Amino acid sequence: MPVVNPEKLVSLQQNSKDIRNICILAHVDHGKTSLTDALIATNGIISPKLAGKIRYLDSRPDEQLRGITMESSAISLYFSMRRKSSEDGALENKDYLINLIDSPGHIDFSSEVSTASRLCDGALVLVDAVEGVCSQTVTVLRHTWTEHLKPMLVINKIDRLVTELKMAPGEAYVHLSKLLEQVNAVVGSFFQGERMEEDLKWREHVEERVGVEALKEQARVERDLSELTDGEVEANAEGSAPGEFKEKDDGDLYFAPEQNNVIFSSAIDGWAFTIKQFAAIYEKKLGMKRSAMEKVLWGDFYLDPKTKKVLGKKHLKGRNLKPMFVQLVLEPVWAVYEATTGSRTGKGDPEKIEKITNSLSITLPPAVIRSKDPRNVLTTVFAAWLPLSTAVLVSAIEYLPSPPSSQAERLPSIIDESPGASFVDPHVRSSMIGFQRSKEDPVVAYVSKMIAIRESELPENKRKGGILTAEEARDLGRKRRAEIARSQAAERDESTLRSMTGAFASTGITGVSSDDDSIKSENEDPEHLIGFARIYSGTLSVGDEVYVLPPKFSPAHPHMNPEPQKVMITALYLLMGRGLEPLTSVPAGVVFGVAGLEGHILKSGTICSQLSGSVNLAGISIGSKPIVRVALEPVNPSELDKMIAGMKLLEQSDPCALYEVLDNGEHVILTAGELHLERCLKDLRERFAKCEIQASEPIVPYRETIISASEMEPPKNKDLPRGTVSAVTISKQIAIRTRVKPLPQPVITFLEKHAGAIKRLYSEHKAAEEGKRLGNETPQEVAENDGIGDADEDAGLSFVDFKAHLKLSFEKTKAEREVWANVIEKIAAFGPRRVGPNLLIDNTKQGACNKFLRESHQDASSAPSAPASAENLTPHDFSDKISYAFQLATAQGPLCSEPIQGVAVFLEEISISLPTEEQISARDQLGRLTGEVIKTVRDSIRQGFLDWSPRLMLAMYSCEIQASTEVLGRVYGVITRRRGRILSESLKEGTPFFTILSVLPVAESFGFSEEIRTRTSGAASPQLIFQGFELLDEDPFWVPSTEEELEDLGDTADKENVAKRYMDRVRARKGLVVSGRKLVKDAEKQKTLKR
């Protein structure tokens, strides 16, 4: 097919009903890019013979090298098909615009899947016919569910059932049926979870209504008892009953071949089909209507060979008939494989090929018939019989929605879930849902990510046409002559004198010019950021001025700092995979690239033509949080500014990479995984910073906690309970007693899960104190000024609900119930960063600290009364100092300065004893005492922490590996050697593959994927997903002390203390003292090696 002109694609953007925005989602190596290649070949961009090999949308060199997709990329395709304008009308050619987005399948790049899915209206979900449903398959199906995308299932790599597993058509049918059931089970679990949540809300609503109605009825009965009969009372009671729960129909949610939402394909061999295609083939042969044929081609339906009637399973009467799908669909496909590649020699049977081509009315070119490559014959037959592009694109056009119908279904829920949804302008809302696309309508577009493009690759900088100008020809000639001269000089092998003269000459003159050229080339080809966007309403043109809304923007407070800026759109682009085509304007429903947003959007944002009443579509982003951190520094210190600028550019262009500067001055980059880190470092060195960069060992996060172990040393103060510390400030004027205890596990789990609710409650609490009551919205300036972390927003729990659920978590504790009985009213702070799973509990008699979970009127009534003299100091004056010391202590634990988790700090007593002569100037001494109190409380918490049995908590990965029986032992060996733990092992039915689920410490995961691939010769590849933190039940301070331990392990403890190794590694990295480490070994040998 000839190459489609870009002007043709631009003209199709005006017909919104003929546009399809589709993303391709799947697990890694399930065939997304190969399928995309086959679709791109229909537009003449690549040769059909190279489809599946060239990987056109994998434009990065490392993507081609590794064979996996790392960045989501888009391309616009043209497709024409003959359709009837009406039921009785004639067939007419109809043109369609397909905006196709290919996304990665690797877990490290799952954020790219989020950016792709928000821009589309439908999704092609690919599943490998052999591997089946994998971890990322479930993830992408969840993406389609949460984003309200309409999915189509593509069962790919069916050729593996023929060539690898050697299945018969009947066995393949059973295997495909089970695979379809697995996928539908995943979708059904999403529906069931949502249905249960709605049912719970309905029951709560019913209980409220019943309670209100009961009170009204009781009052009415008491008032009119003398006038009403018993029958009337019963009738009234029945009339007030609430309606029943309305069940949603889930019939259209599941994948079923007869509904035209399942495609069977082999992207590498270039064929695909749907039930609808074969129904059209067999309707005349069997004399059945196409609609009836579609319903019986899949399932337990059988064709009677004598009567040519379709029979159900009940009417077989013991006859051994094959299902119609096997007999009419799979057997012809298997026959083609047998004829082309299935003989003993593997070169096929020419007679069978001729017989098949005649029955299918296919004519093979003579060159293909003479070809010695059987795959050439195979792909040619399938391309003429069941072309992949026709099946996929026709099904997508018929089944997936156009932008107008999709926005009418999807956008109401997306807008309702956005921040400040009740303040969105009704005109903006109706324009988006109603798909208004005129110039007068408000412009709303969502920018999902920023793409880095070299300046030389922008359309305005590319040469138009094929003729060089005179100046371009001269420049090209000079460059070619210089290259030839350098190559000749390098290859010349003359005498020593002449070569030395040439070296001096090249160093003195040529070397300088080449350096200048390299600097010039770097400066001449900088990176530019292009927004990857979708427009929902209005029409956007070059030169328009629009507001750029950040992800934290709320229409309830549009002018809140930082106020959105107005920017001018400098360019619009049609995304064509590796290239861009310029546009002057884009109407609603189009996926496009936009320039002019550089410096205004960090990762994602919303473009809107008006500020008041605008909608924030970037406020609900779905992406995996980065977990792997490395510190970076340039090899040449003078290039530090280049590295910093490059890291900022990388942070904007990568949806999941984060850049931050630590307190000690280290420049740190956070990535989603090892492969993601490798890609980021490559981009930094070669594209963004363009300088040599050194990376430290990965910085792995840990947590510190305490437990009550069976064998612990006696408390340091035997007269007080364990964890209690009485401390006095340096000036001996303030005495503080604290007690540290481990929190119950149900409470820790609850606090970790609802960190967003704690953040929101704290912001409201702070705003109430400052007189900034702003309704239900969280004041952004309070959250930012107080350094609250970006915890996941959890608006589901109100103050009362949070308090009730927390109380329920404490009641689940079986041990020491009297200790936790009334602590909720005494909670003064959460930590660290005010949202962590640690509690500061004010147990003092006078109530020194403000209570966090106490109602405002209660707090006011229970607040300590003002002293008689304003000059006297009270414990309440040190409330904020104690809270700050608690935040410091929980942010940096005593083991290796990592955050503490699962600790409750009880503030038992505060006593102030100032000399009489200093009472008058007590207020003046508050500044001096502030530092003393903070230091004393922080050290007391650390001492109380070490009075228990301290433990480290390791960051853990959940690991899923698919491996065959031959390499199973090697996989187990690698996991065990890296301190992993096997959770389960299951054989995938009908395949020789095992699915191994395990957990692995993040600290041991670096190089794990490479080692697995090396040890198994590429037969197994792991998927690592961050799971959380897990306790390492080993005391880092343990040393052998008993006779048995000394006898077994010796004085030096031959058994390695893994917890101490982790702790010492972190302490050494942070520059802290490492106990037991020898700085000098064999001092007499520390000499120069030359002597």
Side-chain angles (χ1 to χ4, degrees):
M1 183 178 179
V3 179
V4 178
N5 199 340
E7 284 75 13
K8 177 72 173 176
L9 299 174
V10 174
S11 65
L12 290 174
Q13 291 181 350
Q14 304 302 323
N15 304 325
S16 58
K17 292 184 179 180
D18 298 337
I19 298 175
R20 298 294 183 271
N21 297 315
I22 305 169
C23 57
I24 300 181
L25 311 174
H27 187 78
V28 64
D29 286 336
H30 277 203
K32 298 179 297 299
T33 309
S34 300
L35 180 76
T36 309
D37 272 2
L39 302 182
I40 293 173
T42 62
N43 278 222
I45 299 173
I46 61 174
S47 168
K49 294 181 180 180
L50 297 176
K53 302 173 185 176
I54 196 170
R55 303 177 64 86
Y56 182 77
L57 290 185
D58 287 352
S59 54
R60 296 171 54 93
D62 47 356
E63 288 180 323
Q64 294 285 346
L65 184 65
R66 289 183 174 271
I68 62 171
T69 304
M70 297 184 184
E71 290 182 350
S72 56
S73 49
I75 190 167
S76 296
L77 302 176
Y78 163 81
F79 185 70
S80 178
M81 60 183 288
R82 293 172 64 82
R83 300 194 71 177
K84 291 182 179 180
S85 55
S86 61
E87 292 184 4
D88 301 329
L91 289 173
E92 298 176 357
N93 280 339
K94 200 165 180 60
D95 299 338
Y96 292 90
L97 175 66
I98 311 291
N99 293 318
L100 197 67
I101 302 179
D102 183 24
S103 63
H106 197 281
I107 187 64
D108 281 10
F109 310 108
S110 58
S111 58
E112 295 278 351
V113 179
S114 304
T115 62
S117 57
R118 174 58 62 87
L119 303 179
C120 297
D121 304 312
L124 297 177
V125 180
L126 269 70
V127 178
D128 190 318
V130 175
E131 295 183 8
V133 177
C134 299
S135 57
Q136 276 298 96
T137 311
V138 179
T139 303
V140 298
L141 284 170
R142 186 178 291 110
H143 271 300
T144 62
W145 181 267
T146 54
E147 291 289 339
H148 308 285
L149 295 178
K150 195 167 187 179
M152 279 189 68
L153 180 65
V154 180
I155 302 178
N156 194 26
K157 299 190 179 183
I158 294 182
D159 58 288
R160 294 182 65 189
L161 303 180
V162 188
T163 57
E164 290 183 24
L165 302 185
K166 308 294 183 183
M167 285 186 176
E171 296 171 335
Y173 169 67
V174 175
H175 180 80
L176 293 174
S177 301
K178 291 179 179 178
L179 176 58
L180 199 59
E181 289 175 7
Q182 292 176 8
V183 178
N184 284 332
V186 174
V187 177
S189 66
F190 301 151
F191 173 78
Q192 188 66 19
E194 188 176 273
R195 190 251 178 229
M196 291 175 67
E197 186 177 347
E198 291 177 354
D199 183 48
L200 181 63
K201 291 179 180 178
W202 176 81
R203 288 180 185 278
E204 292 175 354
H205 180 63
V206 166
E207 288 174 2
E208 293 177 2
R209 285 182 56 191
V210 168
V212 172
E213 292 292 338
L215 291 175
K216 290 181 180 179
E217 186 64 27
Q218 184 179 358
R220 188 164 61 246
V221 168
E222 290 175 356
R223 186 177 66 250
D224 301 331
L225 187 59
S226 58
E227 300 177 6
L228 291 174
T229 63
D230 292 341
E232 289 172 329
V233 171
E234 291 174 3
N236 288 335
E238 290 174 2
S240 63
E244 294 182 358
F245 178 71
K246 294 182 180 179
E247 290 282 359
K248 284 186 178 178
D249 181 22
D250 61 342
D252 58 342
L253 296 177
Y254 300 111
F255 298 107
E258 61 270 18
Q259 293 182 6
N260 200 33
N261 60 1
V262 178
I263 300 172
F264 304 90
S265 77
S266 169
I268 196 68
D269 290 339
W271 61 266
F273 65 84
T274 61
I275 292 294
K276 197 170 184 178
Q277 279 181 270
F278 275 93
I281 294 172
Y282 287 113
E283 65 170 339
K284 292 182 180 178
K285 291 183 179 180
L286 299 179
M288 294 177 61
K289 290 184 178 179
R290 185 182 300 188
S291 57
M293 196 70 188
E294 291 174 11
K295 295 177 182 178
V296 298
L297 263 182
W298 176 267
D300 294 329
F301 296 99
Y302 305 84
L303 183 65
D304 191 331
K306 295 180 180 179
T307 61
K308 301 295 182 183
K309 290 184 179 180
V310 178
L311 304 176
K313 198 169 186 178
K314 297 179 181 178
H315 301 89
L316 286 180
K317 297 179 181 180
R319 286 185 292 178
N320 187 19
L321 297 180
K322 299 174 183 177
M324 292 181 66
F325 186 77
V326 174
Q327 184 180 359
L328 302 180
V329 179
L330 291 185
E331 286 188 350
V333 174
W334 258 244
V336 174
Y337 276 98
E338 178 66 26
T340 53
T341 60
S343 64
R344 292 180 181 178
T345 60
K347 295 182 179 180
D349 188 343
E351 294 181 1
K352 288 184 179 179
I353 294 173
E354 185 179 357
K355 187 177 179 181
I356 289 173
T357 53
N358 291 335
S359 63
L360 296 176
S361 303
I362 295 173
T363 304
L364 295 180
V368 174
I369 297 173
R370 293 193 301 268
S371 174
K372 295 182 180 181
D373 183 9
R375 285 194 54 81
N376 191 10
V377 182
L378 175 74
T379 53
T380 306
V381 171
F382 275 126
W385 179 34
L386 300 173
L388 183 142
S389 56
T390 303
V392 173
L393 294 180
V394 169
S395 300
I397 289 169
E398 292 182 346
Y399 183 76
L400 298 182
S402 62
S405 57
S406 172
Q407 289 186 196
E409 294 179 8
R410 292 179 64 206
L411 288 187
S413 58
I414 292 178
I415 295 173
D416 292 341
E417 293 170 6
S418 65
S422 57
F423 294 90
V424 175
D425 187 351
H427 183 43
V428 172
R429 183 186 180 96
S430 61
S431 297
M432 293 175 66
I433 297 174
F435 200 76
Q436 305 298 324
R437 54 189 336 206
S438 67
K439 290 289 290 184
E440 291 74 25
D441 292 308
V443 174
V444 179
Y446 172 63
V447 181
S448 66
K449 69 171 184 173
M450 303 296 286
I451 310 170
I453 304 289
R454 289 186 175 91
E455 187 174 288
S456 59
E457 296 177 1
L458 294 176
E460 52 265 31
N461 299 324
K462 287 187 176 180
R463 178 172 46 83
K464 304 283 184 179
I467 302 173
L468 291 172
T469 62
E471 188 176 352
E472 288 175 339
R474 282 193 292 271
D475 288 342
L476 185 61
R478 277 195 294 270
K479 289 179 182 178
R480 292 287 170 84
R481 285 193 295 272
E483 289 175 5
I484 293 170
R486 280 196 293 269
S487 62
Q488 288 175 349
E491 292 172 358
R492 247 189 325 257
D493 187 16
E494 299 179 355
S495 63
T496 307
L497 182 60
R498 290 175 63 85
S499 63
M500 289 177 62
T501 307
F504 278 121
S506 64
T507 306
I509 301 172
T510 314
V512 174
S513 64
S514 65
D515 289 342
D516 291 339
D517 289 341
S518 64
I519 295 171
K520 187 178 180 182
S521 64
E522 285 185 8
N523 294 336
E524 284 179 352
D525 199 11
E527 299 279 346
H528 290 273
L529 294 177
I530 305 297
F532 190 27
R534 155 81 182 266
I535 182 168
Y536 288 98
S537 69
T539 299
L540 186 65
S541 303
V542 176
D544 287 354
E545 291 190 345
V546 292
Y547 288 97
V548 177
L549 313 180
K552 292 185 178 180
F553 172 83
S554 173
H557 316 288
H559 300 286
M560 182 176 289
N561 189 36
E563 186 171 350
Q565 299 177 343
K566 203 168 189 179
V567 300
M568 179 181 288
I569 303 300
T570 56
L572 297 170
Y573 301 106
L574 178 69
L575 302 171
M576 292 298 293
R578 302 183 182 186
L580 301 172
E581 295 293 336
L583 298 172
T584 55
S585 65
V586 286
V590 174
V591 177
F592 64 100
V594 54
L597 308 179
E598 191 169 350
H600 301 283
I601 288 183
L602 180 60
K603 292 183 180 298
S604 63
T606 309
I607 298 174
C608 198
S609 57
Q610 64 184 59
L611 185 57
S612 59
S614 53
V615 61
N616 179 11
L617 298 174
I620 38 176
S621 60
I622 308 168
S624 59
K625 292 187 177 180
I627 183 67
V628 179
R629 300 186 296 170
V630 290
L632 304 180
E633 64 176 6
V635 174
N636 185 356
S638 64
E639 295 179 326
L640 178 62
D641 291 340
K642 290 176 65 177
M643 188 193 78
I644 293 174
M647 292 178 77
K648 290 179 179 178
L649 200 60
L650 173 69
E651 184 183 23
Q652 293 181 65
S653 64
D654 194 302
C656 199
L658 293 177
Y659 163 59
E660 60 183 28
V661 182
L662 301 183
D663 296 335
N664 58 4
E666 282 185 312
H667 298 273
V668 172
I669 185 169
L670 289 84
T671 60
E674 190 180 3
L675 184 59
H676 187 212
L677 171 64
E678 186 179 330
R679 190 196 78 179
C680 290
L681 292 178
K682 181 180 176 65
D683 283 349
L684 264 179
R685 293 184 178 116
E686 297 179 2
R687 296 179 61 186
F688 301 129
K690 294 184 179 177
C691 64
E692 284 300 316
I693 293 174
Q694 289 179 343
S696 70
E697 289 293 320
I699 304 171
V700 179
Y702 293 87
R703 295 289 183 268
E704 302 179 20
T705 189
I706 53 176
I707 64 170
S708 178
S710 56
E711 297 179 1
M712 287 191 295
E713 293 185 3
K716 294 178 182 177
N717 192 336
K718 297 182 180 179
D719 299 331
L720 296 173
R722 184 181 293 276
T724 305
V725 177
S726 296
V728 182
T729 59
I730 298 175
S731 61
K732 311 292 183 184
Q733 294 176 349
I734 299 177
I736 300 172
R737 187 170 81 242
T738 59
R739 184 184 177 193
V740 176
K741 280 186 70 67
L743 270 176
Q745 188 57 45
V747 179
I748 299 173
T749 306
F750 174 81
L751 295 178
E752 286 179 328
K753 185 178 179 182
H754 297 94
I758 300 173
K759 172 185 174 182
R760 181 174 51 80
L761 292 174
Y762 177 81
S763 297
E764 293 176 358
H765 186 70
K766 190 76 173 176
E769 288 181 356
E770 297 178 2
K772 295 181 179 179
R773 201 64 182 170
L774 299 174
N776 294 326
E777 294 295 321
T778 303
Q780 294 178 15
E781 73 272 17
V782 174
E784 290 170 5
N785 294 338
D786 289 328
I788 299 175
D790 292 331
D792 294 335
E793 290 298 331
D794 185 4
L797 287 181
S798 63
F799 177 85
V800 177
D801 292 339
F802 179 83
K803 195 172 176 181
H805 283 76
L806 182 58
K807 185 177 181 180
L808 190 64
S809 301
F810 274 112
E811 289 174 354
K812 292 179 182 178
T813 308
K814 296 180 180 179
E816 298 182 329
R817 289 198 172 189
E818 66 281 356
V819 176
W820 311 106
N822 300 311
V823 296
I824 293 181
E825 298 293 340
K826 300 177 183 178
I827 293 175
F830 299 86
R833 301 181 74 190
R834 301 186 181 89
V835 294
N838 302 289
L839 298 180
L840 175 62
I841 299 167
D842 183 8
N843 225 12
T844 57
K845 295 179 181 178
Q846 62 269 42
C849 299
N850 294 327
K851 307 301 186 293
F852 185 81
L853 292 179
R854 185 171 291 180
E855 300 287 352
S856 56
H857 61 85
Q858 292 179 351
D859 204 22
S861 62
S862 63
S865 57
S869 173
E871 295 294 330
N872 294 335
L873 284 179
T874 63
H876 187 69
D877 292 325
F878 298 99
S879 172
D880 55 338
K881 287 78 178 173
I882 294 170
S883 178
Y884 182 66
F886 168 73
Q887 301 296 339
L888 289 178
T890 52
Q892 295 184 336
L895 298 184
C896 49
S897 294
E898 290 290 313
I900 289 176
Q901 177 171 311
V903 170
V905 179
F906 291 85
L907 185 63
E908 301 281 354
E909 185 181 353
I910 302 176
S911 60
I912 302 173
S913 57
L914 294 177
T916 309
E917 61 273 9
E918 294 186 11
Q919 284 286 351
I920 300 174
S921 59
R923 288 285 168 186
D924 299 333
Q925 297 188 27
L926 185 60
R928 174 178 61 82
L929 294 174
T930 294
E932 294 184 10
V933 169
I934 290 174
K935 183 178 183 301
T936 304
V937 173
R938 185 193 64 187
D939 293 344
S940 299
I941 294 174
R942 290 184 173 181
Q943 291 175 29
F945 183 95
L946 294 174
D947 208 10
W948 295 85
S949 185
R951 293 289 187 272
L952 276 179
M953 298 187 75
L954 307 183
M956 302 296 287
Y957 275 136
S958 171
C959 175
E960 179 182 302
I961 304 175
Q962 282 201 348
S964 60
T965 317
E966 293 79 15
V967 298
L968 208 57
R970 300 174 194 172
V971 171
Y972 275 32
V974 175
I975 294 175
T976 308
R977 190 162 53 252
R978 291 177 176 265
R979 300 187 57 80
R981 189 173 76 254
I982 306 294
L983 298 180
S984 68
E985 169 199 300
S986 59
L987 177 66
K988 278 193 172 292
E989 193 172 352
T991 70
F993 294 102
F994 284 86
T995 299
I996 305 162
L997 293 178
S998 62
V999 289
L1000 185 78
V1002 174
E1004 305 287 350
S1005 67
F1006 302 103
F1008 173 71
S1009 300
E1010 189 64 33
E1011 185 178 1
I1012 284 280
R1013 282 193 290 269
T1014 304
R1015 295 278 296 165
T1016 62
S1017 302
S1021 183
Q1023 285 275 295
L1024 300 174
I1025 305 172
F1026 179 64
Q1027 190 181 39
F1029 291 89
E1030 187 176 290
L1031 183 75
L1032 176 62
D1033 196 7
E1034 196 170 337
D1035 190 346
F1037 299 113
W1038 179 86
V1039 290
S1041 55
T1042 65
E1043 291 184 4
E1044 294 179 357
E1045 291 171 349
L1046 289 169
E1047 184 179 348
D1048 293 341
L1049 303 173
D1051 294 336
T1052 56
D1054 297 333
K1055 179 185 176 184
E1056 183 189 20
N1057 189 331
V1058 179
K1060 186 176 188 307
R1061 172 162 62 87
Y1062 288 144
M1063 182 182 74
D1064 290 348
R1065 186 189 299 173
V1066 178
R1067 292 185 70 89
R1069 178 176 58 79
K1070 293 184 176 181
L1072 303 175
V1073 177
V1074 179
S1075 61
R1077 185 175 68 168
K1078 292 183 179 180
L1079 297 179
V1080 177
K1081 289 185 179 180
D1082 302 328
E1084 67 277 2
K1085 295 182 181 179
Q1086 307 295 318
K1087 297 179 180 179
T1088 347
L1089 295 176
K1090 292 182 180 179
R1091 297 179 183 177

